Amino acid sequence: MKKKKQDYSHLSSEQPIGVFDSGVGGLVFAKEIKEMLPKENLIYFGDTKNLPYGEKSREAIVGYATKITRFLLEKNCKAVVIACNSATANALNEVVELVDGRVPVIDVINPVAEKVAYEIHNNVGVIATKATVNSGLYRKSIRKHNKFIKVDELATPLLVPAIEEGFKNHPITHAIIYNYLSNNKLKNIETLILGCTHYPLLMDEIKQYYGNRVRVIDSPGIVANQLRMILEQHQLLNDSAALPEYHFYLSDITKNFEKISKKFFGKSIRLELEVL
Ligand code: DGL
């Protein structure tokens, strides 16, 4: 099917950018967007009540992702960022269908896969949730652009609960990381993709494990840059002098979300409970 050229002339640059994830993972991406695009208004939805997405069926994930997208469109967002790999891997088509060309949709797998396919020429490992690994989307997307790259994917499901529990720099998390990264499947990799938006919160620990042996891809930077390019292309970058507004909606308010969101966005932000 031929892709039609998108017309977003009905949108205005002051409308917010909508970002969603199952929990705190998407916050890393929202923070990167805030740093790259400091004038943009943001609306974040964290579906903490339904976490972890990585353990859910495709049908369940499609249900959550489409409900949240509808909510973000009702909130007048000018773009939707699916800041969740499990939702991208299982519900990207459904989200795009629902949005029906009204606003751009940015996901966290395709821009990263494309960048890796063109810039990396060696063995790539992907660690992600079960829902993402089972979809095989990273391998498919990378190899669509570059058939010569070997892609090994490993499900690492214990990392999300450890991160949501706030176990950063904790012996439990170190043991989990050691156990997963020493898996035979990842033995020959030279590049690693953190295929779950929660994992960059453990970037230091993961880099520590590898030393300089393995390059870890900066997915939040790649995705924020993709968003910036799309907004720029459609004259949708906000250049208003007003202070940006940040709104956070959560289906269940958790201490860890509160802590990380305040660390990234400042103490004055308010979290609103929103059960869809
Ligand atoms: N952060 C999400 C991802 O990128 C989901 C983690 C989860 O809820 O299992 O896959």
Side-chain angles (χ1 to χ4, degrees):
M1 201 172 42
K2 219 175 150 216
K3 252 195 175 170
K4 62 173 187 225
K5 180 148 171 29
Q6 295 299 355
D7 175 13
Y8 299 124
S9 53
H10 58 287
L11 299 173
S12 99
S13 58
E14 274 143 52
Q15 288 174 245
I17 295 165
V19 180
F20 77 89
D21 178 38
S22 60
V24 294
L27 282 174
V28 187
F29 287 67
K31 172 177 166 268
E32 190 72 31
I33 293 169
K34 169 183 155 249
E35 278 164 15
M36 216 179 264
L37 302 168
K39 294 182 176 173
E40 297 296 335
N41 299 306
L42 294 179
I43 294 187
Y44 188 93
F45 191 96
D47 197 7
T48 30
K49 186 169 80 97
N50 293 313
L51 165 126
Y53 279 9
E55 300 293 306
K56 301 282 167 24
S57 67
R58 203 184 93 75
E59 290 69 27
I61 299 173
V62 168
Y64 305 143
T66 48
K67 259 195 206 161
I68 299 168
T69 302
R70 218 169 273 128
F71 172 80
L72 294 174
L73 292 176
E74 278 161 18
K75 290 280 173 203
N76 208 21
C77 289
K78 66 177 175 188
V80 171
V81 180
I82 311 178
C84 173
N85 289 266
S86 309
T88 298
N90 290 276
L92 175 60
N93 290 344
E94 286 79 358
V95 168
V96 168
E97 216 166 275
L98 168 70
V99 166
D100 195 22
R102 283 172 286 173
V103 302
V105 175
I106 290 90
D107 71 88
V108 285
I109 296 185
N110 288 299
V112 174
E114 191 170 335
K115 180 128 179 115
V116 165
Y118 287 108
E119 291 184 7
I120 309 279
H121 310 286
N122 51 31
N123 293 342
V124 174
V126 181
I127 54 170
T129 65
K130 283 185 201 158
T132 299
V133 169
N134 290 343
S135 78
L137 189 57
Y138 269 103
R139 181 196 307 260
K140 276 182 235 155
S141 304
I142 294 172
R143 292 175 61 99
K144 184 172 85 190
H145 299 287
N146 184 342
K147 278 201 200 71
F148 301 100
I149 296 186
K150 186 165 175 287
V151 183
D152 288 304
E153 297 173 275
L154 180 73
T156 50
L158 290 176
L159 289 174
V160 169
I163 293 164
E164 286 288 333
E165 282 302 316
F167 285 171
K168 194 173 159 52
N169 286 322
H170 192 287
I172 292 184
T173 314
H174 291 160
I176 297 172
I177 289 177
Y178 182 85
N179 193 278
Y180 284 144
L181 298 186
S182 59
N183 188 295
N184 244 347
K185 259 198 173 167
L186 301 178
K187 212 171 80 196
N188 296 319
I189 63 165
E190 291 141 300
T191 298
L192 180 71
I193 297 176
L194 306 183
C196 170
T197 56
H198 278 66
Y199 300 173
L201 287 162
L202 299 177
M203 187 61 112
D204 295 343
E205 286 94 326
I206 292 171
K207 281 193 169 161
Q208 228 167 50
Y209 173 87
Y210 283 119
N212 288 328
R213 276 176 296 137
V214 166
R215 164 174 171 184
V216 184
I217 297 295
D218 168 30
S219 301
I222 295 170
V223 171
N225 190 44
Q226 169 90 355
L227 170 69
R228 177 168 66 178
M229 287 195 312
I230 291 177
L231 294 179
E232 209 270 324
Q233 213 179 346
H234 297 280
Q235 282 97 46
L236 283 173
L237 284 175
N238 193 9
D239 56 9
S240 130
L243 276 182
E245 288 184 23
Y246 305 127
H247 289 275
F248 295 85
Y249 297 92
L250 288 180
S251 54
D252 186 21
I253 298 195
T254 65
K255 277 265 161 297
N256 189 44
F257 192 98
E258 203 168 348
K259 189 174 135 203
I260 298 180
S261 55
K262 293 199 167 175
K263 183 172 153 208
F264 289 171
F265 286 88
K267 291 225 173 346
S268 60
I269 59 158
R270 229 163 35 87
L271 308 182
E272 290 177 48
L273 185 66
E274 180 73 49
V275 181
L276 300 178

